[in-house]
């Protein structure tokens, strides 16, 4: 049974986006934030987005007005009393999130509690808060992106049916993800950027790497995507995953990315980045696609071997979350696991000292070859 009385905590970009999704789907939504100005800004931003949808013919004016009428705001978590589902989208700090859930457990009794965290352990949040917490990781912008990663520690496993039914009713595609650093997309995306940076370290021009990936069907190359999101955002995600994974060379944080941030060359927001402004035409870098895709496959196979997800789940998440033309396991099925293994072994043999061990084939990939 879908959940229809929705609470959202945090009126930032993600919180307001989730609130809009639920309101457009016909739910009564209460959005709370400790800052009244943030709530005022969120309501205004949601109104603007709904108006633009009407102007573009994507939404009827009456439906836009109805969606906005279903949204109420407040600064007190007690406003979530009677909610079926409360989604926390506050600052990425474990102590802050845990405190919110402790309070919600008292004021929203009986509600399903979920966090939109992108970097913290869902199990850790629930353990500190002392209540079952699910993970619902939406992607930005939430009204547009179809993917929602669903993370369910053992204590929250019974919440799967109502959460997944609710997400489908909202027009989203739920994918079960393990409670591991980066979940599926942010973890499996590391090689997309990391191997591009390794190619740069080897002397390949960023524009040539991007040209190769675009020619292979990717909507954007890795350097253009870093410039779009911001080098500092990519660096923070890379460092978080690297630390959580014990500094394994698969998650090496490259000096070139650190320099971009140190120099303020963050991408589009600063007018300077790896391929910003337009570096001009470049021919595709030979071998770039094969190298990056082999690393993508290996990371996906590593995650698969840890449990908590499936080949189809990983492929779906990567295609919806990053607009990839194909998922890692579609790549390995097309090329053959033996070919991917051979590419990885060649990369490992030629790797510099600081990357030794980066390309060791995942056991799950070797199992695919033996099957």
């Amino acid at each position: 049974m879908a959940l229809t009385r929705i609470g959202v905590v945090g009126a930032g970009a993600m919180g307001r986006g989730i609130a809009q999704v639920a309101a457009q789907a016909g739910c009564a939504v209460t959005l709370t934030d400790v800052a009244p100005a943030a709530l005022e800004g969120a309501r205004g931003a949601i109104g603007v987005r709904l108006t633009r949808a009407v102007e573009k013919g994507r939404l009827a004016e009456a439906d836009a007005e109805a969606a906005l009428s279903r949204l109420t705001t407040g600064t007190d978590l007690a406003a979530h009393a009677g909610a079926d589902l409360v989604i926390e989208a506050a600052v990425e700090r474990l102590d802050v999130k845990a405190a919110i859930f402790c309070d919600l457990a008292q004021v929203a009794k009986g509600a399903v509690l979920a966090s939109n965290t992108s970097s913290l352990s869902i199990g850790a949040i629930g353990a500190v808060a002392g209540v079952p917490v699910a993970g619902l990781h939406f992607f930005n912008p939430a009204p547009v992106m179809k993917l929602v990663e669903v993370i369910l520690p053992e204590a929250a496993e019974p919440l799967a049916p109502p959460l997944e039914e609710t997400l489908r009713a909202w027009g989203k595609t739920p994918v079960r993800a393990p409670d591991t650093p980066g979940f599926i997309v942010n973890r499996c995306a590391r090689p997309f950027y990391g191997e591009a940076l390794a190619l740069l370290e080897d002397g390949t021009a960023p524009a040539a790497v991007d040209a190769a990936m675009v020619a292979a069907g990717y909507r954007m190359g890795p350097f253009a995507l870093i410039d779009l999101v911001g080098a500092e955002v990519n660096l923070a995600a890379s460092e978080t995953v690297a630390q959580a994974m014990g500094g394994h060379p698969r998650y090496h944080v490259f000096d070139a990315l650190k320099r971009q941030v140190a120099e303020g060359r963050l991408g589009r927001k600063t007018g300077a980045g790896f391929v910003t402004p337009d570096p001009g035409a470049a021919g595709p870098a030979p071998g770039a696609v094969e190298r990056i895709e082999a690393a993508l496959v290996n990371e996906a196979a590593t995650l698969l071997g840890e449990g908590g997800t499936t080949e189809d789940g990983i492929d779906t998440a990567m295609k919806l979350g990053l607009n990839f033309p194909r998922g890692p396991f579609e790549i390995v099925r097309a090329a053959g696991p033996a070919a991917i293994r051979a590419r990885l072994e060649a990369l490992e043999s030629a790797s510099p000292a600081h990357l030794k061990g980066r390309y060791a084939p995942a056991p799950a990939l070797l199992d695919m070859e033996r099957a």
Side-chain angles (χ1 to χ4, degrees), residues 64-92:
E65 292 174 353
L68 200 56
S69 73
R70 286 190 284 267
L71 175 66
T72 60
T73 61
T75 57
D76 192 336
L77 289 179
H80 297 299
D84 298 322
L85 167 65
V86 183
I87 302 172
E88 168 273 319
V91 64
E92 287 287 277

Side-chain angles (χ1 to χ4, degrees), residues 299-346:
E299 188 59 39
T302 301
L303 179 61
L304 181 70
E306 295 172 4
T309 188
T310 65
E311 292 183 15
D312 286 345
I314 292 173
D315 280 353
T316 297
M318 297 303 285
K319 289 188 290 185
L320 292 181
L322 288 173
N323 292 311
F324 278 8
R326 49 196 168 271
F329 293 100
E330 291 174 333
I331 293 169
V332 75
R333 284 191 286 270
I340 299 295
R341 175 187 52 76
R343 291 175 193 169
L344 291 167
E345 289 176 347

Side-chain angles (χ1 to χ4, degrees), residues 38-50:
L39 293 169
E40 183 178 348
R43 190 175 187 88
I46 292 171
V48 168
R49 285 201 296 254
L50 291 170

